[in-house]
Amino acid sequence: MARPREDLAARFWAKVDKRGPDECWPWTGGKRRKGYGAIGEGGRGGKMLVASRLAYELQNGPIPEGHQVLHSCDNPPCCNGAHLFTGTNLDNIGDMREKGRQRYVGGPRKLTEEQRQAIRLDTRPQDDIARDFGVDQSTISRIKREVSLQSLHGPLT
Ligand SMILES: [Zn+2]
């Protein structure tokens, strides 16, 4: 993520509905499942970035390795740096559990069961799907293989 950074920041802010300092600043650009904003990194073969991660980096600084960006306001499209904090996967699981949300499925990166289901049903080339979800093609391949295992051996629990 080196070069098109400035351009990326400009494109990012153009898609944020910036409001008062305490309010949520909703992302107005493209969204992924569960309402997370998404923005292309730019450049050839650029990845899709999660808007809230970019929001955090632009306003609060680098995200510690292995951490995710979480919302104190519980509003996934929000890009107000004051509402964003980082935590590990485990924090996220705890956070979700506290909020009584759906079970967080661990495994490849931060994909939820919902997203994995969508990946299994996606008929596009695996590279395209991988780019969309911000994971490696090998992850997509693994998720898609899980389904054939399931049909052979019954549900994996
Ligand atoms: Zn917010």
Side-chain angles (χ1 to χ4, degrees):
M1 305 208 211
R3 222 173 14 83
R5 204 69 192 181
E6 273 173 40
D7 167 57
L8 179 61
R11 282 190 294 120
F12 168 80
W13 287 118
K15 294 280 173 66
V16 176
D17 181 5
K18 225 170 153 177
R19 301 180 182 179
D22 299 328
E23 290 180 80
C24 284
W25 300 352
W27 174 253
T28 63
K31 295 206 181 91
R32 291 287 169 241
R33 286 164 190 80
K34 298 179 73 99
Y36 285 92
I39 183 169
E41 187 179 31
R44 256 186 82 203
K47 290 180 300 200
M48 289 305 284
L49 303 175
V50 177
S52 50
R53 286 183 72 86
L54 185 58
Y56 184 92
E57 287 190 338
L58 290 173
Q59 295 166 90
N60 303 336
I63 299 165
E65 174 127 20
H67 280 217
Q68 304 191 324
V69 170
L70 308 169
H71 287 83
S72 62
C73 57
D74 199 20
N75 182 16
C78 175
C79 291
N80 182 349
H83 291 177
L84 302 174
F85 63 103
T86 67
T88 61
N89 225 340
L90 275 174
D91 294 335
N92 199 9
I93 293 169
D95 193 43
M96 290 239 183
R97 210 166 272 155
E98 267 167 37
K99 289 171 183 162
R101 296 242 211 88
Q102 77 177 100
R103 192 169 63 93
Y104 184 90
V105 179
R109 297 281 192 88
K110 56 214 177 236
L111 295 174
T112 63
E113 183 53 42
E114 210 171 61
Q115 288 173 310
R116 295 152 76 98
Q117 193 62 39
I119 287 167
R120 288 178 198 123
L121 297 172
D122 204 320
T123 54
R124 291 175 301 158
Q126 293 189 357
D127 281 337
D128 290 354
I129 306 172
R131 196 173 310 134
D132 244 29
F133 285 88
V135 296
D136 297 336
Q137 183 265 328
S138 61
T139 301
I140 300 295
S141 158
R142 194 159 105 222
I143 289 170
K144 282 187 174 291
R145 269 202 313 274
E146 282 170 9
V147 82
S148 31
L149 280 176
Q150 277 181 19
S151 47
L152 281 174
H153 304 297
L156 303 164
T157 40

